[in-house]
Amino acid sequence: MVQFQNNLENSRLPEWAPEYVNYSLLKLKLKDIIAVKDNKELEQVFQARKFIFQGTLDTEIEKVLSFYADIATSVKQELQAGEESFSHFQEAVMDSEELDPIHKLRRLDSKTEELKSVALRITNLLQYVSLNMQAIRKILKKFAKHVEPTKPAPGFLALEIQHPHEPGWKMMQGTFLPANVSQQLDDMTSHATLKRAADKVKQQYAQLRTWRGQLLKRSAEDLADAVAHQDLAVEIENILASMDVMGSLAQRNAMLVHGLDWSERRAGIFEPAPTDDLAVATTLGLVLNCLSSGLYMANYQLVLPNIRDYLTDIGAVVSMAGVVIGCCDIASIPGTIGYSVWTNSSFKAPLISSAIACILGNTLYCIGYDCKWLSVLMAARLLTGLGSARTVNRRYIADFVRKAARTKASAAFVTCSAAGMALGPLLAVPMSRVPTTHFGPFTFNAITAGAYVMSLIWLVFLAVTLFFFTEPPVRADALDHSKDSIPESTLRQPLLSESSTTGDLENGQMSGPNSDGLKSPVKSRTEPMIPSWQSTVQPMIATFCILFLLKLVQQAYLDSLPLFSGRLYGWTSSQAGLMLAVFGLTVIPVNTAVGQISDRVSDRGLNAVTLLITAVGCGLLMCGGRPVWMYFLGGTLVFMCTVILEGSGMSLMSKIMHPSLARGTWNAGLMSTEAGTLGRLTGNLCLSIVSRFTGVDTVSEVYQFGFVLFALMGALTVSNLGYMLAIWKRLAA
């Protein structure tokens, strides 16, 4: 640490010295915290000093981001002006017939001097990025060794810190900076402006060098005089070489520090935001993708209030309800994978296909009622399951929405999904008043009306998507993720070969024949590396189990609600639908509350407590509705806790997941979707199996059914909690 501090002070430009992270000040603040952290009598002093440290760090980050933005803007403007003068230079000097070669060579040297000045500023600013990102990462890593990091809070910037040699190592640090500062941090970590400026400088220098070579060939007699100017060429080439090195170092060090947003993780979006040139999402595209997610959830939940009446009317046993509902999930599991692969070449086609699948599914649902064929009903649900394009919707937001708009887009995605979850059962309320009408062989009544309405809505969605959705011009398979992420192999390898440069990576020092006095890290470490999968596989299993379990328990309860309320309390399908809709509408405020408390409770702690309460809810439901308040209290606890688990589980996953799972077709977003789908399927199958085993025709059988079903759910919940506790330390993010 001392060596890095010395190298930081020696490497920074004297004229920019006040604008670097004040690493020594932050170390002093941290020492003040460490001095009182174990003294229980000074707890208030300890908390106050943590607050002071965080405030100081936030101030330093703001200072660095502001200075970078100012210098990067000036470099951009200077280069734009230079580009205009470069075109004029070609016309006035190089294309001129009046100027002799020696005069042109001197003008070329003058132009090269101007280019050298710009290249040096770019190089210095790249080094500024590298050194400051190293300083932020190192002080936070040191902070985490001694003090529990500040927990992220909704509405504020959160930092994710990675280790350059241990890809499985991560830490999360909350700040008091507003969330919109994340855009400024992304601008600095991606430093796209500097990359474009560096490319332009190299292009212009290549042109100048070409012109010089042409002039020297045409004036061999003046070669001796021209050679005197070659030192300038060597000098700028050294600077350009250093600029490349600093660019690589800035890329490496900056991308170990990420700005995060909680709402994106809640939506299952883990990928870094695209650069501005790849952020091509349109407003209509976002609306259609959010609507696609919401409409599918509505279609999925549509059958819940009426499934008992539907099966009775067609002469099927009520115990088949879980299997019928689960057909959706059976088709959704391979369908989701197929859609994810499809997005490598198109986004419009999957959206159109999902809409057509849902239209056909709703149509078959109505036909099955008139034909009184259970097989047609199951085929209808299979087709509806193929309409799940949520992985397409997530990836559209992840790949094509700029960072500044991702928070709103993620929140809209979650909100639409929750609204759809409520809309499906809610349709049963107005549709319960629909009189039975026959149109030829087709029946329009309270059971089939919802499917007809959903078909009409999907037809409108299909028409708008077909004619107005703009296919992103840059396909997902063409995205160059190397610009905004670091492969694991890169993290474990030295940035440059030791034959070209030597130094100390962690201490930020480099020296080489062409370094031009600039210092930067290049040497590899020889210590053994921690295998990333070894440190993340068990925590990832735990989080996937949580996502699986929450959907399993939630779906088992929602599926059983119409059965219990109808058999035991005499509720109609519209009353059951209203109850399900109320549960669906609570998703949004509950998720908001989770975000508010996440800064005071750790994710693993919140998951553990919520699992425990879920087990208590299952215990209340085991009583089978005796008394009534106990059944609804248990159901409320189960539903609310599973909603909380979805948000906190996603948040925990984002902190412990392996970096390679953040991108690509087989990313964590897809796998979390599959875990949830498999959980819903298992919940539906459990409902059918238990109801077939116990029977649900009499009140006593319903009581027995409730006892067995929720005893099983409770046992699975307790097992999941036990596994969490067994690997508790590994879940520390």
Side-chain angles (χ1 to χ4, degrees):
M1 278 295 181
V2 175
Q3 188 177 2
F4 172 75
Q5 181 176 335
N6 292 335
N7 286 326
L8 175 62
E9 293 174 356
N10 294 333
S11 300
R12 62 190 182 187
L13 289 179
E15 60 269 29
W16 290 358
E19 308 300 336
Y20 288 80
V21 168
N22 194 334
Y23 189 77
S24 58
L25 175 63
L26 290 170
K27 280 186 64 177
L28 289 175
K29 300 295 183 186
L30 180 55
K31 288 180 180 178
D32 290 341
I33 297 173
I34 296 172
V36 299
K37 74 166 186 172
D38 296 325
N39 192 331
K40 300 297 183 182
E41 297 178 357
L42 298 176
E43 178 64 23
Q44 291 185 343
V45 176
F46 171 72
Q47 295 298 335
R49 290 183 178 181
K50 276 187 67 177
F51 185 86
I52 292 172
F53 172 87
Q54 188 62 60
T56 305
L57 176 63
D58 292 350
T59 301
E60 293 298 309
I61 291 175
E62 283 188 301
K63 176 185 71 176
V64 167
L65 294 178
S66 176
F67 181 76
Y68 170 81
D70 290 342
I71 301 300
T73 300
S74 68
V75 168
K76 182 179 179 181
Q77 293 172 346
E78 186 177 349
L79 202 61
Q80 287 175 343
E83 193 169 0
E84 295 174 2
S85 67
F86 196 82
S87 300
H88 177 72
F89 176 83
Q90 181 175 3
E91 296 175 2
V93 178
M94 300 310 301
D95 295 341
S96 173
E97 299 293 338
E98 299 177 0
L99 299 178
D100 61 84
I102 294 301
H103 184 78
K104 289 182 178 181
L105 283 170
R106 290 171 181 168
R107 293 288 296 272
L108 275 174
D109 288 342
S110 177
K111 195 66 181 175
T112 304
E113 283 284 1
E114 295 176 12
L115 207 59
K116 170 191 167 186
S117 175
V118 177
L120 190 57
R121 291 191 72 194
I122 295 172
T123 304
N124 288 333
L125 193 54
L126 287 169
Q127 186 186 41
Y128 178 84
V129 171
S130 179
L131 289 173
N132 282 291
M133 289 299 103
Q134 269 192 293
I136 292 172
R137 174 173 58 81
K138 282 179 172 293
I139 195 64
L140 286 178
K141 182 182 174 185
K142 188 175 181 66
F143 181 83
K145 284 182 178 179
H146 301 280
V147 185
E148 183 179 357
T150 304
K151 295 181 176 62
F156 295 96
L157 174 69
L159 298 176
E160 180 185 78
I161 308 299
Q162 297 179 6
H163 196 283
H165 306 296
E166 299 170 6
W169 187 93
K170 285 185 184 180
M171 68 160 287
M172 292 284 291
Q173 174 76 13
T175 72
F176 303 136
L177 297 172
N180 57 15
V181 174
S182 178
Q183 179 62 48
Q184 301 175 43
L185 180 62
D186 285 346
D187 290 342
M188 183 169 176
T189 55
S190 66
H191 46 274
T193 300
L194 294 186
K195 291 176 182 177
R196 288 192 292 269
D199 290 340
K200 183 59 66 176
V201 165
K202 287 186 280 189
Q203 290 173 9
Q204 291 185 0
Y205 176 68
Q207 184 61 63
L208 292 177
R209 188 171 54 184
T210 299
W211 285 336
R212 170 179 284 277
Q214 293 172 350
L215 288 173
L216 290 177
K217 287 181 181 179
R218 285 186 288 175
S219 54
E221 67 278 5
D222 298 311
L223 184 59
D225 182 64
V227 169
H229 300 277
Q230 293 303 309
D231 289 343
L232 175 61
V234 173
E235 192 174 345
I236 189 173
E237 286 176 4
N238 286 343
I239 292 176
L240 292 178
S242 295
M243 184 171 66
D244 288 339
V245 172
M246 288 302 164
S248 297
L249 294 174
Q251 167 77 16
R252 179 189 181 92
N253 289 314
M255 293 315 297
L256 293 171
V257 180
H258 302 278
L260 301 178
D261 188 274
W262 189 84
S263 63
E264 294 177 18
R265 270 47 186 173
R266 184 178 60 181
I269 298 172
F270 304 99
E271 300 91 328
T275 55
D276 289 342
D277 56 327
L278 297 179
V280 295
T282 62
T283 301
L284 180 61
L286 284 173
V287 170
L288 289 174
N289 275 278
C290 289
L291 281 177
S292 173
S293 175
L295 290 176
Y296 172 75
M297 291 306 300
N299 227 140
Y300 183 93
Q301 301 285 91
L302 179 68
V303 303
L304 294 187
N306 297 308
I307 187 62
R308 180 167 55 90
D309 296 335
Y310 190 115
L311 291 172
T312 301
D313 287 354
I314 68 173
V317 293
V318 177
S319 60
M320 288 297 294
V323 175
V324 171
I325 297 171
C327 284
C328 246
D329 303 307
I330 293 174
S332 180
I333 292 174
T336 297
I337 297 173
Y339 283 139
S340 183
V341 175
W342 205 348
T343 55
N344 289 330
S345 58
S346 174
F347 280 81
K348 186 173 185 176
L351 288 176
I352 291 173
S353 297
S354 66
I356 293 174
C358 285
I359 293 170
L360 293 176
N362 287 319
T363 303
L364 277 183
Y365 178 85
C366 299
I367 293 174
Y369 183 81
D370 292 309
C371 295
K372 300 189 182 305
W373 287 352
L374 179 62
S375 58
V376 176
L377 173 59
M378 296 177 70
R381 293 296 291 174
L382 287 169
L383 279 171
T384 301
L386 291 176
S388 175
R390 287 166 62 82
T391 184
V392 179
N393 312 142
R394 282 193 180 111
R395 192 163 181 183
Y396 184 85
I397 296 173
D399 283 355
F400 300 113
V401 176
R402 59 190 175 88
K403 180 64 179 179
R406 270 184 114 178
T407 299
K408 292 181 180 179
S410 301
F413 176 79
V414 173
T415 301
C416 284
S417 298
M421 190 176 179
L423 175 63
L426 194 60
L427 279 175
V429 178
M431 295 306 162
S432 64
R433 302 177 182 272
V434 173
T436 300
T437 307
H438 294 280
F439 298 95
F442 302 107
T443 302
F444 187 83
N445 60 11
I447 296 176
T448 61
Y452 282 117
V453 171
M454 287 303 302
S455 293
L456 181 60
I457 295 174
W458 277 113
L459 278 172
V460 175
F461 176 88
L462 176 62
V464 175
T465 303
L466 189 61
F467 294 108
F468 299 105
F469 179 79
T470 303
E471 185 78 80
V474 181
R475 301 290 189 265
D477 58 344
L479 293 177
D480 183 8
H481 298 320
S482 64
K483 293 183 179 180
D484 53 350
S485 63
I486 302 178
E488 179 181 339
S489 58
T490 303
L491 290 173
R492 295 187 178 189
Q493 298 292 333
L495 185 61
L496 300 174
S497 63
E498 293 188 9
S499 60
S500 59
T501 53
T502 58
D504 186 346
L505 178 71
E506 280 297 288
N507 293 320
Q509 190 175 17
M510 181 199 78
S511 61
N514 295 330
S515 63
D516 200 41
L518 298 167
K519 298 177 181 179
S520 57
V522 292
K523 187 179 178 181
S524 63
R525 281 171 50 147
T526 58
E527 299 129 45
M529 307 306 171
I530 297 178
S532 55
W533 285 107
Q534 181 179 337
S535 60
T536 62
V537 63
Q538 288 186 327
M540 286 298 293
I541 290 175
T543 54
F544 279 126
C545 285
I546 289 172
L547 296 174
F548 169 82
L549 177 77
L550 72 90
K551 291 299 182 183
L552 187 157
V553 177
Q554 184 184 87
Q555 198 62 43
Y557 172 68
L558 294 177
D559 287 356
S560 66
L561 179 60
L563 179 63
F564 274 93
S565 61
R567 292 287 191 198
L568 302 183
Y569 315 128
W571 283 18
T572 63
S573 60
S574 62
Q575 290 174 311
L578 184 60
M579 184 69 178
L580 290 170
V582 169
F583 277 137
L585 290 174
T586 60
V587 171
I588 299 172
V590 169
N591 269 322
T592 302
V594 172
Q596 295 297 325
I597 66 174
S598 63
D599 61 329
R600 293 184 289 274
V601 181
S602 67
D603 289 321
R604 62 175 180 170
L606 184 59
N607 277 278
V609 171
T610 308
L611 283 172
L612 180 60
I613 298 176
T614 302
V616 172
C618 289
L620 294 175
L621 290 171
M622 285 171 60
C623 297
R626 293 175 292 187
V628 176
W629 66 265
M630 187 176 293
Y631 175 77
F632 287 103
L633 174 60
T636 302
L637 288 177
V638 165
F639 186 82
M640 296 299 181
C641 286
T642 53
V643 172
I644 293 172
L645 281 171
E646 186 163 15
S648 59
M650 285 287 191
S651 181
L652 180 61
M653 177 186 289
S654 71
K655 298 171 186 177
I656 54 87
M657 63 185 284
H658 186 271
S660 65
L661 292 178
R663 280 197 173 276
T665 302
W666 298 94
N667 58 68
L670 169 65
M671 288 190 280
S672 62
T673 299
E674 295 289 71
T677 302
L678 188 59
R680 281 196 297 267
L681 172 61
T682 307
N684 290 321
L685 294 179
C686 284
L687 180 78
S688 286
I689 293 171
V690 174
S691 62
R692 176 75 67 144
F693 174 73
T694 64
V696 288
D697 296 326
T698 65
V699 172
S700 61
E701 287 178 344
V702 171
Y703 284 140
Q704 185 180 9
F705 163 75
F707 180 85
V708 175
L709 178 65
F710 293 108
L712 177 62
M713 298 297 106
L716 291 174
T717 304
V718 172
S719 299
N720 202 326
L721 177 60
Y723 182 68
M724 269 196 70
L725 296 176
I727 60 167
W728 185 255
K729 292 184 179 180
R730 290 179 176 266
L731 291 171

